[in-house]
Amino acid sequence: MNHQSSAPGPAHLPPPLPEGGLRVVALGGIGEVGRNMTVFEYGGRLLIVDCGVLFPEDAQPGVDLILPDFRAIEDRLDDIEAIVLTHGHEDHIGAVPFLLRMRPDLPVYGSRFTLALLSAKCREHRQRPVLVEVAEGQRHPVGPFELEFFAVNHSIPDALAVALRTPAGVVLHTGDIKLDQLPLDGRLTDLAGFSRLGDEGVDLLCIDSTNAEVPGFVTPERDIGPVLDDVVARVRQRVIVACFASHVHRVQQVLDAAQRHGRRVAFVGRSMVRNMTIAAELGLLTIPQGLLIDLDEAVNLPETKVLFISTGSQGEPLSALSRMARGEHRQISIREGDTVVLASSLIPGNETAVFGVINGLVRLGADVVHQGNAKVHVSGHASAGELLFLYNAVRPSNVMPVHGEWRHLRANAALAVRTGVAEENVVLAEDGVVVDLVDGKASITGRVEVGMVYVDGLSVGDVGESTLSDRLVLGEGGFIAITVAVDSTSGRAVSSPTLSGRGFSDDPKALDEVTRLVEMELSRTEAEGITDTHQIAQAVRRVVGRWVAETYRRRPMIVPTVIPV
Amino acid sequence: MNHQSSAPGPAHLPPPLPEGGLRVVALGGIGEVGRNMTVFEYGGRLLIVDCGVLFPEDAQPGVDLILPDFRAIEDRLDDIEAIVLTHGHEDHIGAVPFLLRMRPDLPVYGSRFTLALLSAKCREHRQRPVLVEVAEGQRHPVGPFELEFFAVNHSIPDALAVALRTPAGVVLHTGDIKLDQLPLDGRLTDLAGFSRLGDEGVDLLCIDSTNAEVPGFVTPERDIGPVLDDVVARVRQRVIVACFASHVHRVQQVLDAAQRHGRRVAFVGRSMVRNMTIAAELGLLTIPQGLLIDLDEAVNLPETKVLFISTGSQGEPLSALSRMARGEHRQISIREGDTVVLASSLIPGNETAVFGVINGLVRLGADVVHQGNAKVHVSGHASAGELLFLYNAVRPSNVMPVHGEWRHLRANAALAVRTGVAEENVVLAEDGVVVDLVDGKASITGRVEVGMVYVDGLSVGDVGESTLSDRLVLGEGGFIAITVAVDSTSGRAVSSPTLSGRGFSDDPKALDEVTRLVEMELSRTEAEGITDTHQIAQAVRRVVGRWVAETYRRRPMIVPTVIPV
């Protein structure tokens, strides 16, 4: 396949794009799951598909969000024609407000539901973006790119794939996609449309890799309905269903089950309430008359007459469900015989949190139904079997797997080859790798720098790798701060050193010996005539660090402060 | 079932054990997976079954190990008759050296392989424990407890279950167990023996819960052999197999596959080398003549003639496999076409690390075979189907699920009830809950305090919840230290405040404004005549904390030091 195995893609900057060529660079989303953002360039003009966020891992403590790295386009903001959003998930729209800060007038193309979710997000950022509503079947010329939109199904309504027709060739970007052949809303992935496009000729297919390792086909969303129905039918107490706040069809099936079994429903969690209100307004969610009820009222209903639909399915510690599991929820306290359904995936990395919530609920007496013991979740991403259908419909000349970690990308590439795409036309790239489509052949020509851009609280980018590495050290071992005031002419300590350790030991006497050590070291530096505060600080750091390593075999951060007085 | 649902087991200390009664208290291992330790008491004498460690989670940063809480037996060390070890895994033997520090003369009972692994561990602690080797079929009177040992199979050789006959009744403790009906070494779990014991009458069954949620039966270990064979047969380059360093039968199957396909084998990783040497010496591992080769030699063999068996299957960052995945291993660099087999489970909590390793290997061009895409691992713990066989063989009067989180315990309890154990005779306990067997009835009578005992570096117990909570704060937000020297009579600052922030921001100017703020605050405290250093420090902390929260929406630890001069 078309990549170097030691470090994929060359390290050098790409050569200028040949005239008539099309360039593709992902600034996020390849080699990772999240912060999807792909930049297309033709004739000096840029088009961006998706602009999402990535959620941090344990090695990125304190970080709220991770953005795509905009550096590669920062000098070319005026060349950008538009952003196209494939659907409304956070990993596809979450970074739009940060891009709009730099180009507030940038038009944003998307389907009705996608734009409604984006608008809600932009309101929180006090932005009023320029929105262009599009729908499947439509064509829109945007600069040199002629866009065509295709219906696709996924775990959120109103998702689109987008084709870009340019003089350099036709690109199809699937976005997140699956091929549910019995979708709840009857809106099929437009495989017929993809086939027509394939007849015309697709030069490059950018295709969702998330489930490429999973054999077979995703069970239809519809099949979850009877399972939910069974659960609700047999519970003699309260039912609490947790799922993603954007999964309108999942919520629809829960509402339908509640309705059939005479339970009224309350939404729990701010994003659930907000998104379902939007979905209902747009006609994407059908709420039977009188079914919905306020949480405050719901908690007073008989236990057999109520069902809660809650956020918190990923074990988020501040979510309603986590509070219930800890017995700390203000309104809902779990009792023996209550049933909690996690109608959701278990996103890798969240296992400890989710199992913690399950154990907490079980400990309080609840029965917990989850994808491990019942069919209450199906994925939103095409499995290998479905990807084969896509390859065979589109018949692309070149393929570039997107949306996935390396294991997913490689599995997807292997599927492409099995359907007959030439190995040398399958491009395994990652974030920053530059792919040029020239004369019908896609190849890697260089690499632009793409790093992690962290959002922590209100500011973007001031928390970087050095701050994170300090946090990891502090988180592992705490710190020991030693403050001494020295006479600036003689270098003599004018008072006893002040010590404070945090995150080092619970034992108040742990550092008793350090004072003596520091005093001895200060006598030494004074005797040697050292008056430079930096030199004195280094000496103190060294002597304390060595003592702690030998005595405790630990590595706290040693923070000496020497004040000249 | 026999437990309170709001907080399982009463909070009060248990009443004195009635004469002729048997008491059971787990000091670790119930309500969690790890640090197994159960204390049995009869007639004033104690017997301990297992004494293992728990590995820390993300919420316990910097911690190396977690021990069972010995406080409940600390005042009764002389009453302990012995420790009985069911098998040699770390979560069953790892804390023995810490217990032996308090009672170096305590006899330790276990099978040959278990004691060999314990001896190696104790040597590292410079201890020479009193060992009593036992084997299946044997009976040993130990104080008032008559022990009988039964062969069981698990993911390590030479595992035992133990029955305790006392005048209060017969207890069977399964240890970790499964019912492989075609074990590689022919050593079956002694279901016939359990049935005989059941004929005699078992008053209390303490039973492994790990896989109680999993329906059906664990595939025989033996079935992995052909899969490994297929992989090795088709690879045209190097093969690296990672698995647990104690899984002798897994390693045996890898050795056999290598032998059949003309590959020589090198062990990689200190614990792998050590354990396999022990296993070979005890005749538990058969290494064909001339198969084994040194790592230094192995790396020079042709790629089709070598196979590496390595540690690191859980993504441990310092392990050989992780280094290979990062391209940092001194001797083995992964090339396109190499195959890595993770012949191991994926322990919950390790997903991010393991997938990180897989992605790293795939990125470098390796094919990675793991339990997600091939049958290269089977569990060491009985699934629900096997547990039913155990219940029906033993026919216990009372059941106490052990070894598991709450979800596992409750699932196991449900299985007991389905085989006919009366609901009120199934005891759902957790660490510290006291269970008394009196007149043939087991019931919860109280609770002793059991907390987490952390080992961090060389010392035990000085890192507690307050240190960990400081570490979590520091890990999330870093700290800002502000040092000021004040005249102790006037309260006037004698120099500009010194500021240092670590883990807060990469921006060197981030704290520029803070100096001015602190100076203003110091003027205020001086004007108000405040000379108390503690009061001044509090004022500084408040003003800086508020500014940071408003400016950055972050919560670093604010560490003011006021030095009186």
Side-chain angles (χ1 to χ4, degrees), chain B residues 306 359 437:
Chain B
V306 66
N359 285 320
L437 178 68

Side-chain angles (χ1 to χ4, degrees), chain A residues 221-232 253 257 260 375:
Chain A
E221 172 68 29
R222 195 179 278 276
D223 289 5
I224 292 176
V227 182
L228 289 170
D229 207 87
D230 276 2
V231 171
V232 178
Q253 299 201 90
R260 269 192 298 276
K375 193 75 188 173

Side-chain angles (χ1 to χ4, degrees), chain A residues 3-8 57-58 61-64 213 335-336 348-352 355 358-360 362-367 370 372-373 405-408 410 430 447 456-468 470-472 474-479 481 483-485 494-496 498 500-507 510 541 549-554 557-559 561-565, chain B residues 3-8 57-58 61-64 213 335-336 348-352 355 358-360 362-367 370 372-373 405-408 410 430 447 456-468 470-472 474-479 481 483-485 494-496 498 500-507 510 541 549-554 557-559 561-565:
Chain A
H3 84 113
Q4 281 80 350
S5 69
S6 61
E57 295 182 355
D58 302 329
V63 170
D64 300 319
E213 285 188 310
R335 302 174 203 141
E336 179 102 32
N350 295 346
E351 289 82 1
T352 309
F355 287 129
I358 292 176
N359 284 320
V362 168
R363 185 172 183 276
L364 295 173
D367 290 318
H370 54 86
N373 56 28
E405 302 169 7
W406 269 93
R407 59 197 174 106
H408 308 126
R410 194 176 269 268
E430 63 185 356
R447 180 190 276 269
D456 179 2
L458 292 180
S459 52
V460 180
D462 79 307
V463 168
E465 301 307 334
S466 111
T467 294
L468 288 188
D470 281 350
R471 285 184 186 173
L472 290 171
L474 289 166
E476 289 279 303
F479 70 86
T483 309
V484 289
V494 301
S495 64
S496 233
T498 308
S500 66
R502 295 296 291 268
F504 175 68
S505 173
D506 281 12
D507 178 3
R541 184 202 313 272
E550 280 167 12
T551 313
Y552 287 92
R553 211 182 289 164
R554 297 186 197 159
M557 192 180 277
I558 312 289
V559 189
T561 308
V562 179
I563 305 183
V565 286
Chain B
H3 85 112
Q4 281 80 352
S5 70
S6 60
E57 295 182 354
D58 302 329
V63 171
D64 300 319
E213 284 187 312
R335 305 175 201 139
E336 180 103 32
N350 296 346
E351 290 82 0
T352 310
F355 288 128
I358 293 176
N359 285 320
V362 168
R363 185 174 184 275
L364 294 173
D367 290 317
H370 55 86
N373 56 27
E405 302 169 7
W406 270 92
R407 58 197 175 106
H408 307 127
R410 195 177 269 269
E430 63 185 356
R447 181 188 277 270
D456 179 0
L458 292 179
S459 53
V460 179
D462 80 307
V463 167
E465 301 307 332
S466 112
T467 294
L468 288 188
D470 280 350
R471 286 185 185 172
L472 290 170
L474 288 165
E476 288 280 302
F479 70 87
T483 309
V484 290
V494 299
S495 63
S496 233
T498 307
S500 65
R502 295 297 291 271
F504 175 68
S505 174
D506 281 11
D507 179 3
R541 184 201 312 272
E550 280 167 13
T551 312
Y552 287 91
R553 211 181 289 163
R554 296 186 197 160
M557 191 179 278
I558 312 287
V559 189
T561 308
V562 179
I563 304 183
V565 288

Side-chain angles (χ1 to χ4, degrees), chain B residues 397-408:
Chain B
S397 315
N398 299 277
V399 169
M400 177 171 163
V402 296
H403 300 172
E405 302 169 7
W406 270 92
R407 58 197 175 106
H408 307 127

